[in-house]
Amino acid sequence: MGSIHFFTLVWFLMLLQFLDPCFALPLCTDSRAPFTSNSSLDFCPYNGATCCNSAQDLLLKQKFESMNISDSSCASLLKSILCARCDPFSAQLFRIDYVPRQVPVLCNSTISSNSPQSKQEITNFCSQVWNTCLNISMFNSPFVTGLQRRVGAPNSSNITSLTDIWQSQTDFCDAFGGSSDNNSVCFDGNPVNLTSVETPTPPNGICLEKMGNGSYINMVAHPDGSNRAFFSNQQGKIWLATIPQQGSGDTIQTDQESPFLDLTDEVHFDTQLGMLGLAFHPKFLQNGRIFASFNCDKSTNPNCAGRCACNSDVNCDPSKLGSDNGAQPCQYQSVIAEYSVNGTASQPSSAKSARPLEIRRIFTMGLPFTSNHGGQILFGPKDGYLYFMMGDGGGMGDPLNFAQNKKSLLGKILRFDVDNIPSATDVNQLGLWGNYSIPNDNPYVQDKELEKEIWALGLRNPWRCSFDSLRPSYFVCADVGQDLYEEVDLITKDGNYGWRKYEGPFTYAAPESPVGNTSAEAISPIFPVMGYNHSEVNSNQGSASITGGYFYRSMTDPCINGRYLYADLYASSIWTGFENPINSGNFSSNKISFTCANDSPISCTFAPNSPLPALSYIFSFGEDNNNDVYLLTNSGVYRIVRPSRCKYTCAKEIVESPGSDSPPRSKGDVLQDRYTVSMAFISILCLLIVNFG
Ligand SMILES: *[C@@H]1O[C@H](CO)[C@@H](O)[C@H](O)[C@H]1NC(C)=O
Ligand SMILES: *[C@@H]1O[C@H](CO)[C@@H](O)[C@H](O)[C@H]1NC(C)=O
Ligand SMILES: *[C@@H]1O[C@H](CO)[C@@H](O)[C@H](O)[C@H]1NC(C)=O
Ligand SMILES: *[C@@H]1O[C@H](CO)[C@@H](O)[C@H](O)[C@H]1NC(C)=O
Ligand SMILES: *[C@@H]1O[C@H](CO)[C@@H](O)[C@H](O)[C@H]1NC(C)=O
Ligand SMILES: *[C@@H]1O[C@H](CO)[C@@H](O)[C@H](O)[C@H]1NC(C)=O
Ligand SMILES: *[C@@H]1O[C@H](CO)[C@@H](O)[C@H](O)[C@H]1NC(C)=O
Ligand SMILES: *[C@@H]1O[C@H](CO)[C@@H](O)[C@H](O)[C@H]1NC(C)=O
Ligand SMILES: *[C@@H]1O[C@H](CO)[C@@H](O)[C@H](O)[C@H]1NC(C)=O
Ligand SMILES: *[C@@H]1O[C@H](CO)[C@@H](O)[C@H](O)[C@H]1NC(C)=O
Ligand SMILES: *[C@@H]1O[C@H](CO)[C@@H](O)[C@H](O)[C@H]1NC(C)=O
Ligand SMILES: CC(=O)N[C@H]1CO[C@H](CO)[C@@H](O)[C@@H]1O
């Protein structure tokens, strides 16, 4: 097949993907993306995208048969419930973002819609299950678990009927029922079918206020939930700052002279080198643990030495790499180091500084070249593991094909357990790259040949990832492209994002490939959910670089609430991505204009004809404890504020009368508002979307 035809085919497949609302994110209960099987399953009624392979389908069939349900109506309901594991939305049905369940959430409400176009009743599936099955005996009932069980109800294995275990329909549906809330769907007996809703008019624009002049790479909200945040720069200093309320006219207060932690002596700073990541342990308030990710220089720093990513395991000979901008292979390293606030204050939350003494070196790896090494670190909000974003290590087109090589940590998202630190002997025996252990559900734990740190692969240079604060299973990364396309990916366990076989949705041919090729047939790449062509930001192909942001979950600007924000570093352009249907993983995105509020604490009226982009370089985004979003640029720190402050219209904004300063609001109020508004929005969507099966 000629490359043009193949190209057309890829486009056609993409088009199909966008037309089929049930194809995209969707996530399985094990955090993997559903896969597309080329034939229907024998037992469960799923074809196309599904979470079950034929072996899992067979297991479900055996489980169903072992239940020996005599009544055919009840049997058919139970079959659909068991098969919900195969639904491409099973992660939502089994609520993996909350407390994962044995049984999917059974739709228990008879929603009578108040929207005129869908005056329709949705079956109360939970009561249907109760009424059909209450007296029917079954082995290995999945309904023996749960609270509010009948006193003396049997625990397992015995033949039981629902009434053996549950007092009433109410008790039963309190335990297993639910509606489509929390941004999740419920199960109504049929495969989840999300229906698109009318796209709301795109927001007018983003209103910014300039909060500080400093140039930072990381902003991390204080783990204590207060109005404070940490800011770090690329040179290696971290400051603790207080964030003033919106409308107060105050700027971010940092004492430049007394940083929270100063690692500039350890950090090697250059264009793509420096302190690139900062994370606080999920239990920081108890244990005071802090983690920094940075680059160091082996030639000047004796503590900076680890195994080289270019080694014989991956057919890479460092002596053949040559020097890159004068640097020798593995002169520069990527490290993650641990620090502590212990001893600097009575409580970690009141610490104003951290001890500069490194507690532990978590990770060290020598880099083949000087670019594309990600560097961000984030703790997973659900699992508490440390995710480390690592690029392909540089070189045009990933010459050594590291990103597709599962024996290399380059071009990967890595996942570490930093709570169980093995002994030095074990670190050596296990062939680890530092002082951490491997979570036992990492995808390659069982395979001795492969790198057990890998969570996802096929990335070029993940530059800024985030977990959606409302839906932690949405782990979004922007991945910087090579020649054509900047992409945003939804990261799933063992997901392969295609580089260097694909650049975004396009096939990519590496200009040189001294070792290793991956055939297109050997991988099933997960294509980006958002992105842009280089031609959109720059007529000279080349200089574009994506900066990933956040799902905007603040109600400060209700018109961008729920949208994913991302930017181009050089062009200073910003996009918002809108997911439709909600929870589908199917996004459309628009470039959005922005301007600065006249009453910005620091003046930042952008010059209309300035040759420089308005914000200069957008390095990163940040999110505070109110879910307000910030832009970290080399011209300073900007906060997204109410659209009316820039005279943007947003119908959903409640404009307060000028001069009436609203009283300070607690985090609870803000969350409550966010919840109320998003629930109203979600319930309208759900009326349209869910369960018309
Ligand atoms: C597709 O189905 C055919 C037979 O129907 C089978 O031989 C082939 O291995 C399947 N391919 C994949 C990728 O599952
Ligand atoms: C399954 O149920 C039928 C009656 O409904 C019964 O005759 C049969 O023995 C049961 N099988 C097992 C393995 O219990
Ligand atoms: C279920 O069994 C109870 C008593 O065991 C009986 O009163 C009731 O009518 C039965 N219901 C159905 C729907 O068979
Ligand atoms: C069920 O298990 C719980 C604890 O697992 C136990 O306390 C209870 O006695 C058991 N009930 C029966 C009926 O076996
Ligand atoms: C559905 O289930 C949820 C969660 O158990 C409960 O709060 C709600 O009241 C139930 N609704 C109906 C109509 O039963
Ligand atoms: C909804 O979310 C809240 C926490 O935000 C959680 O406590 C609750 O169990 C969730 N409900 C369902 C049905 O998952
Ligand atoms: C999904 O729902 C839409 C509208 O409710 C319907 O037209 C479509 O056939 C459904 N798709 C499936 C696969 O059930
Ligand atoms: C930021 O820079 C501007 C322009 O140089 C200056 O007027 C302002 O005082 C500075 N603000 C802060 C908080 O440093
Ligand atoms: C810091 O203090 C906490 C609480 O006492 C303790 O659990 C932790 O191990 C200490 N960490 C270090 C590095 O001393
Ligand atoms: C493991 O920790 C020890 C003590 O901090 C350190 O000397 C060593 O370099 C670390 N190993 C790696 C690979 O970072
Ligand atoms: C990889 O594939 C390209 C073309 O597809 C070819 O030119 C190159 O020689 C291959 N490299 C190796 C090491 O096989
Ligand atoms: C057939 C069977 O498994 N019977 C068991 C039912 O459960 C009780 C205790 O809950 C056991 O004693 C029985 O052996």
Side-chain angles (χ1 to χ4, degrees):
M1 203 191 309
S3 63
I4 298 296
H5 291 108
F6 189 69
F7 184 79
T8 317
L9 178 68
V10 169
W11 259 114
F12 181 60
L13 290 175
M14 279 188 54
L15 208 60
L16 280 183
Q17 174 178 344
F18 290 133
L19 291 178
D20 180 351
C22 285
F23 187 82
L25 178 78
L27 191 67
C28 302
T29 49
D30 63 358
S31 300
R32 290 175 200 258
F35 47 88
T36 307
S37 89
N38 71 3
S39 57
S40 333
L41 299 174
D42 284 338
F43 178 64
C44 290
Y46 290 89
N47 51 40
T50 173
C51 289
C52 294
N53 56 27
S54 53
Q56 288 159 323
D57 183 55
L58 182 62
L59 282 176
L60 288 169
K61 182 176 188 220
Q62 287 165 349
K63 185 167 181 185
F64 173 74
E65 281 168 355
S66 77
M67 291 170 77
N68 197 22
I69 305 169
S70 56
D71 178 84
S72 64
S73 308
C74 176
S76 121
L77 294 177
L78 260 297
K79 176 182 169 181
S80 73
I81 289 169
L82 292 183
C83 284
R85 284 275 173 199
C86 302
D87 196 289
F89 294 89
S90 60
Q92 291 179 37
L93 293 173
F94 289 85
R95 297 287 198 259
I96 65 158
D97 280 350
Y98 307 100
V99 180
R101 310 157 52 100
Q102 286 301 309
V103 177
V105 173
L106 309 178
C107 296
N108 70 340
S109 42
T110 311
I111 303 172
S112 59
S113 162
N114 41 17
S115 126
Q117 71 262 45
S118 59
K119 198 89 192 160
Q120 205 164 344
E121 288 206 339
I122 291 163
T123 331
N124 184 331
F125 184 67
C126 191
S127 68
Q128 192 189 343
V129 172
W130 174 263
N131 290 323
T132 311
C133 295
L134 82 168
N135 279 1
I136 310 298
S137 294
M138 60 186 87
F139 277 108
N140 301 323
S141 168
F143 301 110
V144 293
T145 54
L147 303 168
Q148 305 115 342
R149 291 149 36 102
R150 188 188 268 289
V151 177
N155 277 339
S156 66
S157 158
N158 277 287
I159 304 180
T160 55
S161 65
L162 298 186
T163 49
D164 292 339
I165 316 162
W166 302 94
Q167 193 83 41
S168 65
Q169 179 184 323
T170 308
D171 288 355
F172 177 74
C173 286
D174 277 350
F176 300 106
S179 48
S180 293
D181 66 359
N182 282 351
N183 273 320
S184 275
V185 288
C186 61
F187 186 65
D188 70 351
N190 295 299
V192 170
N193 181 6
L194 305 173
T195 306
S196 299
V197 292
E198 207 180 307
T199 313
T201 46
N204 272 203
I206 292 181
C207 184
L208 301 170
E209 64 179 0
K210 187 170 183 181
M211 304 293 293
N213 290 330
S215 170
Y216 305 105
I217 293 267
N218 288 289
M219 167 179 173
V220 184
H222 199 293
D224 71 356
S226 68
N227 62 341
R228 295 180 299 164
F230 296 90
F231 291 84
S232 67
N233 68 7
Q234 198 174 340
Q235 288 85 341
K237 284 186 186 171
I238 304 168
W239 289 273
L240 174 57
T242 300
I243 297 185
Q245 268 205 282
Q246 298 209 17
S248 66
D250 292 334
T251 57
I252 288 171
Q253 302 299 325
T254 56
D255 180 353
Q256 289 294 311
E257 298 310 309
S258 35
F260 183 79
L261 182 60
D262 181 352
L263 300 178
T264 45
D265 288 347
E266 315 274 323
V267 172
H268 180 81
F269 168 64
D270 203 338
T271 317
Q272 286 203 32
L273 299 162
M275 192 202 283
L276 303 175
L278 173 66
F280 291 76
H281 190 279
K283 298 208 174 87
F284 170 78
L285 295 183
Q286 288 86 55
N287 63 25
R289 299 177 74 189
I290 303 168
F291 300 82
S293 149
F294 55 85
N295 303 114
C296 55
D297 179 352
K298 189 170 75 175
S299 68
T300 58
N301 183 345
N303 290 326
C304 174
R307 203 180 344 156
C308 186
C310 170
N311 59 47
S312 57
D313 291 351
V314 292
N315 297 320
C316 183
D317 179 352
S319 69
K320 294 204 173 127
L321 284 182
S323 77
D324 172 31
N325 293 332
Q328 293 308 306
C330 294
Q331 178 178 342
Y332 300 122
Q333 318 265 321
S334 267
V335 304
I336 302 174
E338 177 177 344
Y339 298 87
S340 169
V341 298
N342 282 11
T344 68
S346 58
Q347 301 283 332
S349 64
S350 53
K352 297 274 188 290
S353 64
R355 274 162 49 199
L357 174 77
E358 183 174 326
I359 302 293
R360 180 183 287 123
R361 189 58 58 98
I362 299 288
F363 178 87
T364 317
M365 181 172 73
L367 298 168
F369 306 109
T370 52
S371 59
N372 294 8
H373 42 262
Q376 190 185 14
I377 47 177
L378 287 173
F379 279 96
K382 282 183 300 175
D383 56 26
Y385 294 129
L386 187 66
Y387 291 79
F388 183 33
M389 318 317 153
M390 179 50 70
D392 67 11
M396 175 80 170
D398 190 11
L400 294 131
N401 199 25
F402 286 130
Q404 287 298 328
N405 188 339
K406 295 174 187 170
K407 294 180 181 180
S408 169
L409 300 188
L410 294 166
K412 308 295 183 318
I413 306 254
L414 309 172
R415 184 175 181 248
F416 307 120
D417 176 350
V418 295
D419 288 336
N420 296 290
I421 310 285
S423 69
T425 346
D426 286 350
V427 166
N428 277 331
Q429 251 171 19
L430 297 167
L432 303 177
W433 296 76
N435 299 290
Y436 53 83
S437 58
I438 305 286
N440 59 20
D441 60 340
N442 273 12
Y444 306 126
V445 272
Q446 306 291 4
D447 196 328
K448 282 199 163 41
E449 291 290 298
L450 305 182
E451 292 296 273
K452 297 166 184 58
E453 292 83 353
I454 297 172
W455 180 251
L457 65 147
L459 295 129
R460 184 173 174 275
N461 191 22
W463 187 248
R464 298 322 187 186
C465 306
S466 65
F467 290 92
D468 182 357
S469 58
L470 200 58
R471 299 172 299 177
S473 57
Y474 273 69
F475 178 21
V476 194
C477 283
D479 191 23
V480 179
Q482 178 82 60
D483 299 328
L484 286 176
Y485 195 81
E486 301 299 305
E487 69 186 77
V488 178
D489 296 308
L490 284 172
I491 301 298
T492 52
K493 174 175 173 175
D494 201 16
N496 187 335
Y497 296 88
W499 177 248
R500 73 172 186 203
K501 201 69 216 171
Y502 295 91
E503 181 185 3
F506 308 113
T507 50
Y508 178 81
E512 48 167 344
S513 51
V515 282
N517 265 335
T518 301
S519 74
E521 295 70 38
I523 62 174
S524 35
I526 299 176
F527 287 120
V529 293
M530 286 171 266
Y532 53 95
N533 284 308
H534 285 194
S535 56
E536 261 191 75
V537 291
N538 192 329
S539 47
N540 317 319
Q541 305 270 304
S543 53
S545 184
I546 194 169
T547 299
Y550 289 87
F551 275 100
Y552 185 82
R553 295 297 179 190
S554 164
M555 284 312 295
T556 299
D557 184 344
C559 285
I560 54 171
N561 181 276
R563 290 171 189 254
Y564 177 76
L565 301 175
Y566 59 101
D568 186 77
L569 191 147
Y570 298 116
S572 186
S573 299
I574 304 176
W575 287 259
T576 71
F578 177 70
E579 190 184 28
N580 187 14
I582 196 163
N583 291 324
S584 67
N586 185 31
F587 290 83
S588 56
S589 50
N590 299 90
K591 205 186 271 186
I592 186 169
S593 64
F594 56 86
T595 189
C596 196
N598 287 334
D599 60 352
S600 169
I602 300 172
S603 160
C604 59
T605 318
F606 305 134
N609 299 314
S610 157
L612 282 174
L615 295 171
S616 203
Y617 300 141
I618 303 178
F619 292 133
S620 202
F621 286 80
E623 190 185 36
D624 69 15
N625 281 320
N626 286 328
N627 294 118
D628 276 319
V629 170
Y630 297 73
L631 294 167
L632 308 181
T633 80
N634 72 327
S635 67
V637 177
Y638 299 81
R639 172 162 64 187
I640 297 179
V641 297
R642 292 188 287 110
S644 58
R645 285 177 61 188
C646 291
K647 307 210 166 25
Y648 288 127
T649 50
C650 165
K652 287 182 255 178
E653 182 187 351
I654 301 152
V655 183
E656 288 159 24
S657 57
S660 78
D661 269 354
S662 56
R665 290 149 56 85
S666 70
K667 184 165 160 74
D669 288 342
V670 174
L671 287 173
Q672 187 56 45
D673 285 4
R674 190 181 92 204
Y675 182 78
T676 312
V677 175
S678 46
M679 287 329 280
F681 182 54
I682 291 157
S683 43
I684 291 166
L685 285 177
C686 290
L687 293 175
L688 302 169
I689 295 170
V690 186
N691 305 319
F692 280 16

